[in-house]
Every structure is written in structure tokens, then in C-alpha cells.
Amino acid sequence: AAILCSENADISGFNLLRSSNPRLCFARALAVFHPAPRHEPGAHPAAFVHPDAQVHPEACIGACAVVEQGARIGARTVLRPGAFAGANAVIGERCILHPGSKVLQDCVLGDRVTLHSGAVIGADGFGYVFHQGEHVKVPQAGRVIIGDDVEIGACSTVDRATLGDTVIGPGTKIDNQVQVGHNCRIGRGVIICGAAGISGSCTIGDYAVLAGMAGVSDHITIGARAVIGGKAGVTRDVPEGKFYSGMPAQPHRDAMRQAGALQKLPDTIREIQELQKQIESLKSELEPLLNKTGQTDTGCGS
């Protein structure tokens, strides 16, 4: 046994593996001791592959998985049981679609993309026009394009564009139960944590971070390397490299000052109420004197 530690860690009595990045080494060690399962190429007898689909001979199509007409599946890609590739969908090489994940019609996945169970790529964007007491659906005719090395968590959804493309940049990692609205453009290496929601037509810059349950209004731009705190509600653009939090989201330092002031609010209210009582008491004491002064006033001034 050995301990992975930093290069300057002061530990004695143990075998040490020193590293400039122990967490990275730990991740790589776990991958060695717990390798991903191997899948034999070919389609399971219980899978459905349309005759007009193009499936690479090295791809693996699991039981009850579906590959519809015109879809293309790259080499060493795995569709696990119950996964779905819609008509004309394109899925690159070495992708993994876990059970129940779906890539709907016309959507495009790059290489080494992972979709966890229940992820849906290319559902209709949420678009309606109110007319004569009814919500009239706006057809969602666009696509979703996902770059290389993207991972999307369980039960997360990326909606297709109304027109054009919803885009997820290379290397972006999306946690479970995240909603990405139609026509969003998310950059490279973005981190989006669990239960975050991004409304339509937003732009998220490269390497930005959205913490858990953050919410972003429509048509918002979040700059590169910006950080949005947990449960923040973003209602205006966020500059590059800034840390915003709170509801509505604002610079983190301002949000913390307001939160601190809010905690003091009950005591402040009590102090104000006490001051009001003292003022009323003083008024009661001074009123007779003021009235007496008014009665003896000669009118000649002072």
C-alpha cells in the first residue's frame, strides 16, 4: 500500500507516491484498478438497426437499443441496452450511450461523448405563441451539436434549436438533471453542476462554471471562466472571470455583504422599534412643555 501525496507533504512511516497533482494521479489509479467494461462489437439479436443506418463493424449495439434510418454510428461506440439513435443522427467514435439515453433525429455527437442513463439530446425546445386563448407551438426545426469529450449526466436534457443549432463545446461536463434550452451555445470545458437550468438562447463562455441549481434567464451571456454560485439566479450578463452569486445574481462580495446585513435585520428592527418607543415617550413628556410655551407667547418674538 502507498499514499498519494503532494511533493512537499510531511508524512513519515508510510510508502509515498509523491506527485505535483495527487488528485489527477488518484483518478488515473482508479481507472487502472476499475477499468471500463469491454464490449464485443456487433448488434445484439434483440437490437433494432434500420437497414439504411450505417453502423461501424467495431461498434456495439446492445439489447433493445434502436438505430433508426439514416443514423451513423462510429467505430468502438457502444449503445447499451435501451439506448436510442434517431433518424439521421450522427454519433462519433468511442462514444458511450448508457441505458435509456437518447439522441434524437438529426443531432450530432462528436468522438468520446458519454451520455448517462435518461439523458435526452434533441428534444423540442420550449417555444409557444399565445393566440386567442391558446398556446400555439413553434416548430423546433434545428439540431443539437455536441463536441468531442463531452459527458452529460443522468436525466439531463439538451433541447434542439428552433432554427440553427444548440451547441455544446468540446470537453464540457454536465452533471445530472441539468436543462439546456434551445439555441444555447456553451463553450469549451464548461462545468455545469446538478439541477442547473439554462434558458433558451444563452451563451456560456469557455471554462465557465455553473454551480448546483443555478438558473439562467434567456438571452444571457456568461463570460469565459466566470463562476456562478449555487442557487444563483442570473438575470443579466456576467463579465469574463467574475464570480456572481445570489438572487438576483451579482458580484459575490456584494451578495455576501447583503446576506450579512439580512442576518442582522431582526436585531435592527427591534432596535428601531425601541427607538420609536423612546421617541413617543419623549413626545409625551415634552408635549405639556410645548403647550405651555405656546400659551405664554406674547407674540413679540424672541
Side-chain angles (χ1 to χ4, degrees):
I3 296 176
L4 279 167
C5 62
S6 61
E7 293 175 331
N8 57 356
D10 185 12
I11 302 173
S12 60
F14 297 93
N15 298 316
L16 303 180
L17 295 175
R18 298 186 181 274
S19 169
S20 60
N21 193 338
R23 289 181 63 84
L24 176 61
C25 290
F26 178 69
R28 289 177 172 168
L30 281 181
V32 171
F33 287 105
H34 301 277
R38 298 180 63 86
H39 298 275
E40 294 298 324
H44 191 279
F48 172 78
V49 179
H50 194 281
D52 292 337
Q54 300 178 32
V55 178
H56 194 280
E58 295 181 8
C60 173
I61 312 299
C64 300
V66 174
V67 181
E68 290 200 329
Q69 183 176 9
R72 288 183 283 163
I73 311 297
R76 288 175 285 174
T77 283
V78 177
L79 273 63
R80 300 192 69 188
F84 178 85
N88 302 312
V90 178
I91 300 175
E93 298 183 359
R94 287 183 284 171
C95 296
I96 300 177
L97 275 62
H98 285 279
S101 58
K102 299 170 178 65
V103 180
L104 303 183
Q105 67 273 12
D106 301 319
C107 294
V108 179
L109 271 58
D111 297 334
R112 299 174 301 279
V113 174
T114 298
L115 302 182
H116 289 278
S117 295
V120 179
I121 308 303
D124 279 358
F126 193 71
Y128 297 87
V129 176
F130 189 70
H131 176 67
Q132 296 181 352
E134 295 183 353
H135 297 286
V136 180
K137 185 176 179 64
V138 177
Q140 305 295 297
R143 304 180 299 172
V144 175
I145 297 180
I146 295 180
D148 298 342
D149 301 300
V150 170
E151 184 164 357
I152 297 179
C155 298
S156 290
T157 54
V158 182
D159 288 349
R160 69 177 60 250
T162 305
L163 296 171
D165 300 315
T166 301
V167 178
I168 309 294
T172 285
K173 311 299 182 184
I174 297 177
D175 198 358
N176 300 336
Q177 297 180 325
V178 170
Q179 159 68 14
V180 178
H182 58 185
N183 292 95
C184 286
R185 303 189 73 86
I186 296 176
R188 174 186 294 271
V190 174
I191 294 290
I192 304 176
C193 298
I198 304 172
S199 300
S201 301
C202 290
T203 300
I204 312 295
D206 294 346
Y207 301 104
V209 175
L210 274 65
M213 298 184 73
V216 184
S217 297
D218 58 293
H219 295 84
I220 293 293
T221 296
I222 296 175
R225 299 184 185 276
V227 176
I228 306 301
K231 294 188 177 181
V234 182
T235 58
R236 57 178 177 171
D237 291 352
V238 176
E240 292 187 5
K242 298 298 183 180
F243 182 10
Y244 271 46
S245 63
M247 172 55 109
Q250 56 193 303
H252 182 64
R253 187 181 297 273
D254 295 342
M256 290 297 97
R257 280 200 293 262
Q258 291 181 15
L262 190 61
Q263 290 179 347
K264 298 177 182 178
L265 186 58
D267 292 338
T268 301
I269 291 174
R270 283 193 291 269
E271 290 173 1
I272 292 173
Q273 290 172 338
E274 183 62 31
L275 288 171
Q276 288 175 331
K277 292 177 181 178
Q278 294 177 15
I279 291 170
E280 292 299 324
S281 177
L282 286 171
K283 282 183 178 180
S284 300
E285 294 175 5
L286 292 173
E287 188 171 0
L289 295 175
L290 292 172
N291 291 337
K292 184 176 180 180
T293 302
Q295 292 173 359
T296 56
D297 190 354
T298 62
C300 298
S302 59

